[in-house]
């Protein structure tokens, strides 16, 4: 084979071997003989084969699950809590050069922070203030990750698993609370009804005609089913009347 053709073939293979395509949502760190050179931007790029290598970093928002952690709350209630962490790499150079496997490091930090934050509060606080707990965990984690070129976007507590006996106690407590509210509402209704009846009675006492009309209405209600007989031993007009002096 002609040496010229052989040389051209080898040169073509070298050129093809060095071609790299970097997507818009990624950045590539270029190393030459193991030494960091620069960060390659998205697009068509070429590196020297064997001499240079790249390490690609995703700069989109990344989600990591916090596996369930056994936590003993301040009021000595054992529970299992898990969550999720959202983070984004804003400095790919630091994320690669400053920490080994940043995803694993963030996971470990988040687990420790979750146990630390939830272990310092009571169970009722964890159940009612999940958003606040997430913000506290985020503040602890981002203190460390800021030096790695990583921004913690948010931390959410997903699920809280309680012992069965604690679930029964909470259900009993909720039932008792609902019963208490029902009794209070019933008592308030009785009080309002009594006040309205008192007002109606005072209003009726001011007019004899109103008393008579009310009597006739009551008699009409009694006779609605047509199964009762109402007897008047004497006419209603002969009943004594109370004269009101002005």
């Amino acid at each position: 084979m002609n040496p010229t053709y052989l040389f051209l073939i080898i040169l073509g293979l070298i050129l093809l071997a060095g071609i790299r395509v970097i997507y818009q949502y990624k950045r590539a760190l270029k190393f030459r003989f193991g030494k960091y050179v620069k960060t390659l931007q998205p697009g068509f790029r070429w590196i020297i084969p064997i001499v240079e290598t790249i390490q690609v970093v995703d700069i989109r928002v990344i989600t990591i699950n916090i596996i369930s952690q056994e936590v003993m709350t301040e009021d000595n209630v054992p529970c299992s809590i898990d969550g999720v962490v959202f983070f984004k790499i804003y400095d790919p150079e630091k994320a690669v050069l400053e920490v080994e496997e940043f995803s694993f490091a963030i996971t470990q930090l988040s687990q420790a922070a979750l146990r630390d934050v939830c272990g310092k509060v009571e169970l009722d606080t964890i159940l009612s203030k999940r958003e606040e707990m997430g913000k506290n965990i985020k503040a602890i984690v981002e203190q460390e990750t800021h030096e790695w070129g990583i921004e913690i976007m948010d931390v959410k507590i997903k699920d809280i698993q309680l012992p069965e006996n604690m679930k029964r106690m909470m259900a009993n407590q909720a039932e008792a609370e609902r019963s208490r509210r029902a009794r209070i509402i019933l008592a308030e209704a009785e009080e309002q009804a009594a006040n309205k009846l008192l007002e109606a009675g005072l209003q009726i006492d001011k007019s004899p005609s109103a008393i008579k009309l009310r009597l006739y209405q009551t008699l009409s209600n009694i006779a609605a089913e047509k199964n009762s007989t109402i007897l008047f031993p004497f006419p209603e007009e002969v009943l004594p009347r109370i004269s009101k002096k002005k």
Side-chain angles (χ1 to χ4, degrees):
M1 180 181 291
N2 192 327
T4 303
Y5 291 155
L6 182 59
F7 174 76
L8 292 176
I9 293 174
I10 295 174
L11 180 60
L13 292 175
I14 292 174
L15 292 175
L16 292 175
I19 295 175
R20 298 291 186 273
V21 177
I22 303 173
Y23 293 99
Q24 182 66 39
Y25 53 86
K26 293 184 178 181
R27 298 294 183 269
L29 277 68
K30 184 167 72 173
F31 296 88
R32 183 175 298 151
F33 294 113
K35 182 179 179 181
Y36 171 74
V37 178
K38 65 177 181 179
T39 300
L40 302 179
Q41 298 301 313
F44 181 85
R45 296 291 180 265
W46 187 82
I47 63 173
I48 303 173
I50 302 175
V51 176
E52 295 178 343
T53 58
I54 64 171
Q55 184 169 347
V56 180
V57 178
D58 197 325
I59 61 172
R60 294 175 294 181
V61 176
I62 302 173
T63 304
I64 293 180
N65 287 324
I66 305 176
I67 61 175
S68 182
Q69 301 294 305
E70 294 291 337
V71 178
M72 182 68 72
T73 62
E74 189 179 32
D75 50 350
N76 297 323
V77 178
C79 57
S80 299
I81 306 175
D82 58 11
V84 60
V85 181
F86 302 90
F87 70 92
K88 184 177 182 180
I89 298 173
Y90 66 86
D91 191 337
E93 179 183 348
K94 289 184 178 179
V96 174
L97 301 179
E98 297 295 331
V99 60
E100 179 184 8
E101 297 185 8
F102 55 84
S103 296
F104 178 74
I106 293 175
T107 301
Q108 296 301 310
L109 276 174
S110 302
Q111 292 176 5
L114 187 147
R115 289 193 297 267
D116 183 46
V117 171
C118 295
K120 293 180 179 179
V121 296
E122 296 182 354
L123 178 62
D124 291 342
T125 303
I126 299 175
L127 296 175
S128 61
K129 298 182 179 180
R130 293 192 180 190
E131 191 71 24
E132 183 178 342
M133 295 296 100
K135 290 180 179 179
N136 294 338
I137 297 171
K138 174 187 173 184
I140 295 175
V141 176
E142 66 184 0
Q143 288 180 355
E144 299 291 339
T145 57
H146 181 72
E147 300 297 328
W148 304 342
I150 298 174
E151 178 186 3
I152 303 298
M153 309 297 294
D154 200 2
V155 177
K156 298 290 186 182
I157 293 178
K158 292 197 303 182
D159 191 21
I160 302 174
Q161 295 291 336
L162 301 175
E164 291 298 327
N165 59 343
M166 182 58 62
K167 291 181 181 180
R168 288 193 296 269
M169 292 174 63
M170 294 178 67
N172 293 335
Q173 180 182 359
E175 183 178 358
E177 179 65 20
R178 287 193 296 270
S179 177
R180 182 184 69 86
R181 292 179 182 178
R183 292 182 180 181
I184 291 176
I185 293 173
L186 180 60
E188 291 177 351
E190 292 291 344
E191 181 183 3
Q192 294 176 4
N195 292 333
K196 292 298 181 181
L197 288 174
L198 177 60
E199 293 177 4
L202 294 175
Q203 190 69 22
I204 290 175
D205 285 344
K206 296 178 181 179
S207 174
S209 298
I211 297 176
K212 184 180 295 185
L213 290 174
R214 184 60 180 168
L215 173 62
Y216 292 158
Q217 183 179 4
T218 302
L219 294 176
S220 175
N221 292 336
I222 295 174
E225 298 296 332
K226 298 181 180 181
N227 56 2
S228 301
T229 302
I230 302 173
L231 299 176
F232 286 92
F234 43 80
E236 187 266 340
E237 287 77 5
V238 302
L239 292 175
R241 301 180 180 272
I242 301 175
S243 60
K244 295 184 179 180
K245 297 180 179 182
K246 297 184 179 179

